[in-house]
Amino acid sequence: MLGYEGEVAQHCGADHRKNHKTGTVADTPGVANEFDGVAGGPVVQAGVIHQVTLAPVHQRERPPRQLPLAVRDFIGRGEHLAALSALLPNGAGNSGAASVVISAVDGTAGIGKTALALHWGHAVEHHFPDGTLYANLRGYGPGEPATSDEVLESFLRALGTQAERMPVGVEAKASAFRSLLAGRRLLLVLDNARSADQVRPLLPGVAGCVVVVTSRDSLTGLVVTESAHRLTLDVLSEHEARRLVESIAGEPRTKAEPKAVTDLVRLCARLPLALRIAAGRVTVHEHYTFADVVSELEDDHQRLGVLSRGNDERAALRAVFDRSYEKLRPDQARMFRRLGLHVGPEISVHAAAAVAELDLPTAHLLLEDLTNVHLIEQCALNRYKFHDLLRAYAADLAHRYDITIERELAVKSLLNWYTHTAWVYDAAVFPAHTRLPLRIPVPQNPMPAPDSVQALRWLNIEEPALLSALRKAAKCRMHKLSAHLAEGARFLVAKGAWKEQHEALAVGLSAARQTGDQVAETCFCIMLGETFINMRRWSEAFAILNHGLLLARDLDDNHYPAMTLNELGYLCIEQERFEDALEYLTEALPLSRGVDTGRTEAVVECNLAAAHNSLHLYEDALVHGDRSLVLRHRSGDLIGKGPALHQFARAWNGLGRFRLAADLCSEAISAGDTYGNLAEIMAGPLETLAVSLENLGHRDESNRCLQDAARLYDDYGYPWRARRVRDALARSS
């Protein structure tokens, strides 16, 4: 049988005979090859051939193009598209590729991994003349994950393998698949992979092909062993999120409600799937506005439900999240639910161990597991965070699947850990301060003992969580924890966070009154009074301090009336009533002696120095400033060293000793810088240093000091002081 296919033609004589000795073929003498007319296919001219069977002509099969429809309103991801295009072989970005190019696109549920892969795949199909293969591996989809065997068989069929010639078994199919791809240029999109093991049998064996794998798993195995290029997707930028909403709902409707669109973007946390669902609600219902959707989404308990309505699981947020959660082991699932009970935007390993009631190594491993599948993400060393909607989802799971007593014990464990840690770290930053005695147990995983700088850094990082823990403790009527957490907000003074400190101290005062603790109530009256002074709420400061003074005089401890009188003196200084300030402070001074480490007396002496400086009584200011400085050293009040040095410098400036004053100001500024550029103890010395430098003839340096002081006052929440400094700067210019 002779077969002819395509454009192949064979030239035959009428009678070809082979010379077996020479291996040549020659025409039989007397027989001519003749042909007349037009032929539409292969031509055979034969002399003596008794039978000829001609096979039909096969047209060359078109290459497979299996990519599903790409989303119409794909928005943003410019950097990610460029990163994928840079991997194209042979002149399209990676001409020297000597192996299969693999890109692992990972990210959390609903982040847009498939949309990115399909958008890019359609755009670059022309670079792959031999075809595009696509498979949904169902790693996180409804139903069981696709097996390598079934995916390989579908690919082999797409590439022309007939059923009767289909290999049997995964290894045989993988080998046949690699053989078929040898020398070809194809794009493979392996969507929604469960793991690296699911992907490996589907990979080509030689260069020329590009593989894009999407997964909620980080696919670290592919990165390590197959040299895959990792591409992790995050939420859209604010601008991209708004553009996506506009592309779905239309420009007229989005421009008609700009604020509502902004709120919608915030409530959807810029997650593409959530944005599509929410904007789609406006599009589907003609009389439905963005404000209507926002009003539904603003309820934390309803948000997931609003974004999960409808029968299409692919367009229901809860169902999409469920697919990730259902793949977790029981211990991973429990940790995920417990994290939903956490109170802050970020979660440390220690806090996670506390809320999950686990040891640190186990908690750390589980956090890494959840990070690998993008249910949480690592934001710093040993610190993690949730996407806002995943946080709501985890909290919802905790309330649905964990019994009440378990949740309550977990929350109590967490709040106890935060309270104990805040108390210890507050003591490290403010070692000379008097504080309420700690009356709670040491947690299972206490933090290591810090130095003052480490402690202040931790308090600042954990500020949102500490304030949330305080609110949670108050809501749960855990009054002891509330009082300690409120007192631990002392560090907020250093950053001028008056609003937050006022909130914390008000909770602490309420907790003290609930428990009938008069000492705690007095302490919170004093601290609230100082906060009102710093907020320039004079009448409220005067009222709370006078109430505190009444309470303090009933206590058998001079410390409390001394501190209350000191704050009344400070109030008068801020109001520029310096003579009145001296009366309060003079009464406070003898009461302050010997009541604690010496810090209370040091504070009163420092304020006496400030009042005398403001009255131009510089010799008296020197005496009080010197005493304050000695007492600060003796009590270990290192933060208080700066203010004492500052008052000393003010006095020497007043006496004309400008060089000495400048040196003291520099020392005070250095003391503040040790604690992380504390505006509270740096801006004042900078302002005084400017006076010294001006008098020493260094106007440019003086002006720079004034500029720095004004900036610090602004940052600290003292705009009126910043204006005063800028006025001085204007006069100097």
Side-chain angles (χ1 to χ4, degrees):
M1 181 179 72
L2 298 177
Y4 297 83
E5 181 175 348
E7 299 176 356
V8 178
Q10 181 170 339
H11 300 284
C12 301
D15 187 7
H16 283 64
R17 295 183 180 179
K18 184 175 181 179
N19 186 320
H20 294 286
K21 292 184 178 180
T22 63
T24 60
V25 178
D27 288 338
T28 301
V31 178
N33 291 325
E34 295 180 2
F35 177 74
D36 247 347
V38 179
V43 176
V44 175
Q45 299 182 52
V48 182
I49 295 180
H50 298 292
Q51 181 180 352
V52 176
T53 301
L54 299 179
V57 177
H58 291 291
Q59 296 296 321
R60 180 172 179 173
E61 293 186 7
R62 299 178 66 179
R65 297 294 181 192
Q66 296 186 336
L67 289 183
L69 179 69
V71 294
R72 177 182 60 83
D73 43 23
F74 184 85
I75 296 295
R77 305 299 194 194
E79 292 183 7
H80 301 90
L81 292 170
L84 286 170
S85 294
L87 302 177
L88 290 172
N90 299 330
N94 188 19
S95 58
S99 60
V100 178
V101 177
I102 307 169
S103 180
V105 181
D106 59 60
T108 194
I111 203 73
K113 302 177 292 295
T114 299
L116 172 72
L118 295 182
H119 180 83
W120 179 79
H122 281 290
V124 300
E125 273 192 316
H126 60 283
H127 288 293
F128 300 95
D130 296 310
T132 311
L133 299 176
Y134 171 87
N136 180 1
L137 301 183
R138 303 193 302 273
Y140 292 89
E144 292 298 315
T147 65
S148 301
D149 187 90
E150 66 180 275
V151 175
L152 283 168
E153 182 165 332
S154 71
F155 284 170
L156 289 171
R157 289 183 183 280
L159 294 173
T161 303
Q162 300 300 312
E164 63 272 13
R165 303 190 64 181
M166 185 67 64
V168 177
V170 173
E171 291 187 7
K173 288 176 181 175
S175 178
F177 181 57
R178 290 192 294 269
S179 298
L180 278 175
L181 295 190
R184 298 193 187 190
R185 293 184 57 190
L186 281 92
L187 170 65
L188 281 76
V189 177
L190 306 176
D191 192 20
N192 198 13
R194 178 73 180 92
S195 65
D197 287 339
Q198 188 187 26
V199 170
R200 286 192 177 99
L202 312 178
L203 299 177
V206 294
C209 295
V210 171
V211 183
V212 177
V213 187
T214 74
S215 180
R216 299 182 194 184
D217 189 278
S218 60
L219 299 177
T220 301
L222 284 185
V223 175
V224 173
T225 60
E226 275 73 32
S227 300
H229 302 264
R230 174 173 287 162
L231 195 62
T232 300
L233 298 193
D234 201 349
V235 295
L236 297 173
S237 69
E238 182 82 19
H239 176 66
E240 289 171 339
R242 291 185 68 91
R243 282 180 56 208
L244 177 58
V245 173
E246 181 178 303
S247 69
I248 295 170
E251 185 177 348
R253 300 191 72 175
T254 53
K255 287 195 172 180
E257 298 182 83
K259 183 182 183 304
V261 171
T262 299
D263 291 338
L264 182 140
V265 167
R266 172 179 55 81
L267 292 167
C268 290
R270 293 179 281 139
L271 185 72
L273 178 58
L275 290 166
R276 289 183 181 279
I277 295 169
R281 289 177 64 78
V282 177
T283 305
V284 170
H285 304 287
E286 180 182 355
H287 301 292
Y288 215 50
T289 67
F290 281 109
D292 294 329
V293 179
V294 167
S295 67
E296 293 180 327
L297 294 175
E298 280 179 335
D299 188 328
D300 292 340
H301 301 293
Q302 291 186 9
R303 190 172 307 148
L304 275 176
V306 172
L307 296 172
S308 302
R309 293 174 183 167
N311 298 321
D312 186 352
E313 286 195 354
R314 296 178 62 185
L317 197 62
R318 193 193 301 276
V320 172
F321 287 167
D322 282 344
R323 293 170 197 159
S324 291
Y325 176 74
E326 289 163 359
K327 302 296 183 182
L328 299 176
R329 300 191 315 262
D331 57 339
Q332 295 169 338
R334 178 182 179 275
M335 172 61 91
F336 181 68
R337 296 195 306 273
R338 289 298 179 89
L339 295 180
L341 301 175
H342 187 265
V343 292
E346 293 183 6
I347 309 164
S348 69
V349 175
H350 280 79
V355 76
E357 300 172 284
L358 296 170
D359 59 82
L360 284 175
T362 302
H364 203 168
L365 287 174
L366 291 173
L367 290 170
E368 288 184 354
D369 290 343
L370 296 176
T371 301
N372 286 337
V373 294
H374 292 285
L375 285 172
I376 59 173
E377 61 180 291
Q378 188 169 5
C379 54
L381 181 64
N382 294 327
R383 295 188 68 81
Y384 301 82
K385 67 179 181 179
F386 266 119
H387 182 276
D388 287 349
L389 293 173
L390 278 168
R391 176 190 301 282
Y393 175 68
D396 179 64
L397 289 175
H399 283 81
R400 279 199 285 162
Y401 296 125
D402 294 333
I403 62 176
T404 302
I405 187 63
E406 288 181 347
R407 294 198 310 271
E408 290 176 349
L409 289 173
V411 169
K412 185 174 182 180
S413 173
L414 176 69
L415 297 180
N416 185 80
W417 180 85
Y418 267 116
T419 302
H420 183 276
T421 309
W423 195 95
V424 171
Y425 277 52
D426 174 69
V429 178
F430 306 101
H433 285 62
T434 303
R435 55 186 45 80
L436 299 172
L438 191 61
R439 297 169 183 164
I440 60 172
V442 177
Q444 179 183 353
N445 300 297
M447 291 275 285
D451 60 29
S452 58
V453 175
Q454 292 169 335
L456 185 61
R457 184 184 303 119
W458 182 87
L459 289 166
N460 282 321
I461 290 172
E462 292 285 3
E463 178 191 336
L466 289 169
L467 290 173
S468 294
L470 173 63
R471 298 181 192 113
K472 186 70 173 180
K475 183 178 180 180
C476 296
R477 302 182 63 81
M478 299 178 182
H479 300 309
K480 287 182 182 178
L481 300 184
S482 297
H484 285 310
L485 285 166
E487 188 183 34
R490 193 188 331 261
F491 74 96
L492 295 172
V493 174
K495 57 196 301 184
W498 311 126
K499 180 182 177 182
E500 292 80 3
Q501 190 180 45
H502 173 259
E503 178 193 358
L505 295 176
V507 171
L509 181 60
S510 176
R513 288 171 173 168
Q514 291 286 337
T515 57
D517 188 337
Q518 189 171 335
V519 171
E521 184 179 355
T522 305
C523 289
F524 285 117
C525 285
I526 295 169
M527 296 174 75
L528 263 173
E530 183 177 357
T531 301
F532 282 134
I533 294 168
N534 290 323
M535 297 174 78
R536 296 176 73 83
R537 291 163 62 171
W538 310 129
S539 59
E540 291 166 282
F542 186 76
I544 195 73
L545 288 172
N546 273 288
H547 177 69
L549 186 58
L550 289 174
L551 294 172
R553 292 193 191 279
D554 282 342
L555 298 173
D556 188 22
D557 190 337
N558 285 340
H559 172 258
Y560 299 105
M563 283 304 297
T564 312
L565 289 165
N566 173 75
E567 292 299 339
L568 286 165
Y570 174 51
L571 170 60
C572 292
I573 290 173
E574 289 297 299
Q575 292 178 308
E576 299 184 0
R577 294 164 45 213
F578 303 116
E579 294 286 356
D580 292 337
L582 286 179
E583 289 187 21
Y584 283 118
L585 295 168
T586 302
E587 184 182 354
L589 187 58
L591 296 174
S592 69
R593 290 176 182 142
V595 296
D596 56 7
T597 59
R599 178 188 174 272
T600 300
E601 185 181 355
V603 172
V604 175
E605 290 282 16
C606 190
N607 282 330
L608 278 166
H612 282 100
N613 272 323
S614 298
L615 292 168
H616 308 295
L617 301 172
Y618 301 119
E619 296 287 354
D620 290 330
L622 280 178
V623 173
H624 291 294
D626 182 56
R627 287 178 184 166
S628 178
L629 194 56
V630 170
L631 289 165
R632 300 279 192 182
H633 280 292
R634 187 183 300 166
S635 66
D637 185 12
L638 300 180
I639 286 183
K641 178 183 175 182
L645 286 167
H646 178 217
Q647 296 306 325
F648 221 23
R650 285 184 66 197
W652 284 120
N653 255 352
L655 294 171
R657 298 285 298 276
F658 303 117
R659 173 49 58 192
L660 176 58
D663 292 341
L664 289 168
C665 285
S666 297
E667 190 177 350
I669 292 166
S670 296
D673 191 52
T674 301
Y675 286 87
N677 195 33
L678 290 183
E680 180 194 22
I681 54 178
M682 293 180 68
L686 278 167
E687 192 177 356
T688 300
L689 178 58
V691 175
S692 302
L693 292 171
E694 174 75 18
N695 282 286
L696 290 169
H698 305 299
R699 172 165 293 185
D700 289 343
E701 292 181 49
S702 173
N703 287 344
R704 281 195 293 272
C705 288
L706 289 174
Q707 291 167 355
D708 290 342
R711 175 180 54 80
L712 286 171
Y713 279 138
D714 277 334
D715 292 344
Y716 189 55
Y718 277 161
W720 57 93
R721 291 185 180 179
R723 286 193 296 271
R724 180 190 68 204
V725 172
R726 290 194 174 95
D727 288 343
L729 188 60
R731 290 193 299 271
S732 175
S733 302

